[in-house]
Amino acid sequence: MAPTPSRSHRTRVHVVSDVHGNARDLARAGEGADALICLGDLVLFLDYADHSRGIFPDLFGVENADRIVALRTARRFQEAREFGARLWAGVGEDRASVIEEAVRKQYAEMFAAFPSPTYATYGNVDMPTLWREYAGPGTTVLDGERVEIGGLVFGFVGGGLRTPMRTPYEISDEEYAAKIEAVGEVDVLCTHIPPEVPELVYDTVARRFERGSRALLDAIRRTRPRYSLFGHIHQPLVKRMRIGATECVNVGHFASTGTPWALEW
């Protein structure tokens, strides 16, 4: 637990999201801070900027990675699924174990890079069932839960909503809303996905609207936290905006920037 603020001490936390395999910068992300907050997406399945990086090209090669990115970017999701299914058919019945082995390798590296203390929640490409195995004593995993850091109450809600991409940790709108409700009133609301606001959910490079949460937006308007922090959208149209009394901040695509967002009070 970070120290309680006093006249002689200000509390500083660094916040990251969408780490996607960037263990090198993650190991330095907590420097100068009382705590690190991670808003998920540790796993790198496929790097849309560099198609040679990630689990997918490791298994199927860069040319196939180029092809599936092109299909997804064109929103030809059914063709992308069919193409991916043909590739995975070559793996046979071991598909689940092959993916898990690759994810475990990445998680071992990512969690070893976390400083102490770290407070983390899941992204939509994460596999929550594995996190408890790799989270050391200095890492607290929260989902639909609250924690006090330096005198402020932080609420955490992980995962994403269901999409045609069918990433590993997508849940129903109802389940997501229940986690938002469980968190209740907090000073800082930490989620992986943004509230459902057009400017916050549009990715300017992918040229599409991603899914944000209406339940999160409603909670922001109702409970008026000081901050709503999130990631998920790698190249947002707007990185920061106010909703009533709440400052909404996309903390950035850490995989590419390597720089945490800082909050001090």
Side-chain angles (χ1 to χ4, degrees):
M1 180 70 67
T4 301
S6 67
R7 292 180 181 178
S8 61
H9 180 82
R10 290 179 63 81
T11 299
R12 180 183 177 95
V13 297
H14 288 174
V15 190
V16 302
S17 185
D18 299 270
V19 178
H20 294 302
N22 189 351
R24 181 191 63 186
D25 290 323
L26 185 61
R28 301 192 293 263
E31 292 178 358
D34 295 287
L36 178 71
I37 290 174
C38 179
L39 303 182
D41 272 9
L42 300 181
V43 173
L44 179 61
F45 277 101
L46 178 56
D47 188 333
Y48 277 58
D50 180 354
H51 302 170
S52 68
R53 298 181 64 244
I55 294 171
F56 190 93
D58 287 348
L59 291 173
F60 303 119
V62 177
E63 288 186 5
N64 286 324
D66 291 341
R67 175 62 176 161
I68 203 160
V69 167
L71 290 172
R72 289 176 175 176
T73 301
R75 302 186 65 81
R76 294 157 60 182
F77 295 119
Q78 184 60 35
E79 290 180 64
R81 282 195 293 272
E82 292 170 356
F83 177 64
R86 291 195 297 272
L87 294 175
W88 282 109
V91 176
E93 297 180 359
D94 292 334
R95 172 177 177 171
S97 61
V98 167
I99 293 175
E100 182 173 318
E101 181 181 356
V103 171
R104 284 182 177 276
K105 182 178 179 181
Q106 291 190 11
Y107 277 165
E109 187 177 16
M110 295 296 107
F111 279 93
F114 277 144
S116 180
T118 291
Y119 302 92
T121 196
Y122 317 113
N124 61 291
V125 303
D126 286 311
M127 298 177 68
T129 56
L130 300 181
W131 275 40
R132 302 287 177 179
E133 293 184 40
Y134 293 94
T139 299
T140 303
V141 179
L142 303 122
D143 189 17
E145 299 164 282
R146 303 147 55 103
V147 68
E148 183 181 318
I149 306 173
L152 296 185
V153 178
F154 288 69
F156 290 79
V157 175
L161 298 174
R162 289 175 181 158
T163 72
M165 303 288 280
R166 298 181 182 179
T167 51
Y169 192 43
E170 294 181 353
I171 59 177
S172 69
D173 290 61
E174 294 75 18
E175 185 178 353
Y176 195 90
K179 292 195 294 184
I180 292 287
E181 186 67 23
V183 165
E185 293 187 16
V186 296
D187 297 300
V188 185
L189 188 49
C190 300
T191 60
H192 177 67
I193 62 174
E196 182 60 54
V197 176
E199 294 90 340
L200 297 177
V201 300
Y202 186 75
D203 190 302
T204 60
V205 174
R207 291 181 295 177
R208 63 170 179 258
F209 291 97
E210 304 289 354
R211 287 212 66 189
S213 169
R214 169 61 63 173
L216 173 57
L217 177 60
D218 291 343
I220 290 170
R221 289 171 170 163
R222 183 178 68 255
T223 66
R224 299 164 62 87
R226 297 187 193 185
Y227 290 92
S228 167
L229 308 180
F230 49 86
H232 188 55
I233 312 301
H234 293 177
Q235 297 89 198
L237 183 63
V238 173
K239 294 181 179 180
R240 187 167 184 159
M241 68 184 297
R242 294 195 71 84
I243 298 176
T246 303
E247 189 74 12
C248 299
V249 183
N250 184 319
V251 300
H253 180 208
F254 186 77
S256 62
T257 68
T259 303
W261 186 79
L263 175 63
E264 189 171 349
W265 66 96

